[in-house]
Amino acid sequence: MNLSSLSASSDSAHPLARFGWDEGWVSQFAPYAEQGFLPGRVVRVDRGQCDIATADGVVRADTEFVVPRDPMKVVCTGDWVAVDPDGDPRYVRAYLPRRTAFVRSTSSKRSDGQILAANVDHAVVAVSLAVEVDLGRIERFLALAWESGAQPVVVLTKADLVPDPVTLAHLVQDVETSAPGVPVLTVSALHGEGLDVLVALVGSGTSVLLGQSGAGKSTLANALAGADVMDVQAARDVDGKGRHTTTTRNLLALPSGGVLIDTPGLRGVGLFDAESGVGQVFSEIEELAGRCRFHDCAHETEPDCAVRSAVDNGELPVRRLESYRKLVRENQWIVAKTDARVRTELRRDWKRKGAAGKAAMEAKRGRLQ
């Protein structure tokens, strides 16, 4: 494929346009086009091999040429890649620089990052209304979503199970309070309610569908795709959880435009160097912190703490502050495991806070005597 034909392939009539191929990717791919490689988008990865959507259709290729031992550099669903034009087997020679990447920490003791989806514009967090809404988990998903560079969206699924409009409005308000700057939609994929808004939102760019098992992701994916492209299983009545219907991350071109990446249910969503994402989720706390007397205020025992004052006067829910502290500590711990300088600073900070707490207790005892 020469450069002139590659440029022409960026036209909306090109087969890859429905998968998100645009002028930016044409430019990025130019060096590989000169070498005779074909562009394609990874639609599924499975045990070192992947399915790739190319102009000639979906092809199967091996990924062994792309540093397999680094989990941050393996090929993942949503990547744009350079693949051999022919051969048996075919190989992915490289992936193009990612515009965005949704990353969580792995369960390994090394605290590696694991890329769940690449080149995503919208991170759609599906939350089931069939069970009690876990606001802390939503905040965790949103922190990773903001950190990825994508625009997060919360979709409250199975809205038909909350027939009382007042109750539903309160649930939406609770989620909106925990998701500043994030659209919160209510959807019933079973009855088609609320789908028009979501279809319009995911109708351009690439969206990744995230959430726990039983959140209704596969049903939602089928509704957006207009066909039963994903298997669906009923959630357990006792806790609303479902089995992992989706076992791999799959990329689907939607009939209304846009691309959707469906993911397996996530039991764990550990943070991975998500400081700015946490700050975005708790933007009101970050703003309040700027008014504290001390720039490194821990919002615990320090005098003139604007954050604690906001809690005392009811402006800031206690739950929000506790969730913020938890995610900040977790993120610091993850970063410290791979950064010696951060580890040293963290130990110094813990000692300082410990000494301050001890001094405060001794002063309190002195006043009581």
Side-chain angles (χ1 to χ4, degrees):
M1 181 182 290
N2 59 41
L3 286 179
S4 59
S5 63
L6 182 66
S7 179
S9 71
S10 65
D11 185 86
S12 60
H14 189 271
L16 284 179
R18 61 196 293 258
F19 291 98
W21 184 251
D22 59 30
E23 290 292 345
W25 294 121
V26 171
S27 177
Q28 291 278 356
F29 193 78
Y32 300 103
E34 293 177 345
Q35 300 175 57
F37 296 126
L38 297 177
R41 194 166 195 190
V42 177
V43 298
R44 183 174 180 269
V45 178
D46 182 25
R47 300 179 181 178
Q49 290 187 311
C50 60
D51 294 332
I52 304 168
T54 72
D56 299 324
V58 176
V59 301
R60 187 77 166 166
D62 199 302
T63 64
E64 73 173 51
F65 277 93
V66 185
V67 195
R69 285 168 291 187
D70 185 341
M72 294 291 284
K73 294 181 179 179
V74 298
V75 171
C76 77
T77 304
D79 272 327
W80 284 98
V81 298
V83 64
D84 287 332
D86 49 34
D88 186 17
R90 283 183 162 181
Y91 291 101
V92 172
R93 297 293 173 165
Y95 62 81
L96 302 186
R98 293 159 175 154
R99 294 177 180 175
T100 62
F102 191 95
V103 182
R104 68 168 177 176
S105 66
T106 66
S107 57
S108 71
K109 294 182 179 180
R110 295 178 301 175
S111 296
D112 294 321
Q114 178 191 19
I115 298 181
L116 299 181
N119 303 311
V120 171
D121 301 293
H122 300 101
V124 181
V125 181
V127 180
S128 173
L129 290 177
V131 294
E132 184 177 354
V133 174
D134 187 340
L135 298 177
R137 178 169 286 270
I138 292 174
E139 289 161 347
R140 180 179 293 273
F141 269 112
L142 294 179
L144 293 174
W146 281 121
E147 191 68 32
S148 75
Q151 166 66 51
V153 181
V154 176
V155 176
L156 302 179
T157 66
K158 308 181 184 181
D160 53 287
L161 298 180
V162 187
D164 179 24
V166 175
T167 301
L168 183 59
H170 283 310
L171 288 170
V172 171
Q173 185 177 26
D174 287 344
V175 175
E176 288 176 337
T177 300
S178 303
V182 176
V184 179
L185 310 178
T186 58
V187 167
S188 170
L190 183 64
H191 300 295
E193 298 170 359
L195 280 175
D196 54 341
V197 179
L198 184 58
V199 167
L201 191 146
V202 302
S204 62
T206 298
S207 301
V208 60
L209 193 52
L210 306 157
Q212 290 181 283
S213 296
K217 297 188 305 302
S218 295
T219 301
L220 200 57
N222 287 339
L224 293 172
D228 292 337
V229 293
M230 305 301 298
D231 291 333
V232 177
Q233 293 178 351
R236 297 191 301 243
D237 291 336
V238 64
D239 56 9
K241 294 181 179 178
R243 286 176 285 178
H244 289 299
T245 303
T246 305
T247 57
T248 58
R249 290 175 280 279
N250 302 281
L251 185 146
L252 311 167
L254 301 177
S256 59
V259 175
L260 181 70
I261 299 176
D262 190 20
T263 65
L266 300 175
R267 291 191 181 92
V269 278
L271 300 186
F272 184 78
D273 198 4
E275 180 180 359
S276 64
V278 172
Q280 190 88 21
V281 175
F282 299 94
S283 56
E284 81 278 30
I285 296 180
E286 298 270 300
E287 182 180 351
L288 287 167
R291 305 177 202 166
C292 295
R293 178 193 293 186
F294 303 107
H295 70 87
D296 59 346
C297 183
H299 319 306
E300 294 173 351
T301 59
E302 297 85 350
D304 298 328
C305 173
V307 174
R308 283 202 340 275
S309 293
V311 171
D312 293 340
N313 63 28
E315 180 184 348
L316 177 68
V318 174
R319 189 208 64 79
R320 283 282 283 173
L321 179 56
E322 292 175 346
S323 183
Y324 172 73
R325 286 171 173 163
K326 179 180 180 179
L327 293 187
V328 166
R329 285 195 300 267
E330 179 182 328
N331 193 67
Q332 287 176 335
W333 181 77
I334 289 292
V335 174
K337 291 186 73 173
T338 56
D339 191 318
R341 181 185 59 80
V342 174
R343 279 199 302 274
T344 300
E345 291 179 353
L346 203 54
R347 290 194 187 100
R348 187 183 300 119
D349 187 49
W350 285 339
K351 289 180 180 179
R352 179 184 64 78
K353 290 179 180 177
K358 184 178 179 181
M361 289 298 296
E362 291 176 349
K364 183 176 181 180
R365 291 195 192 99
R367 289 195 299 269
L368 293 175
Q369 290 176 352

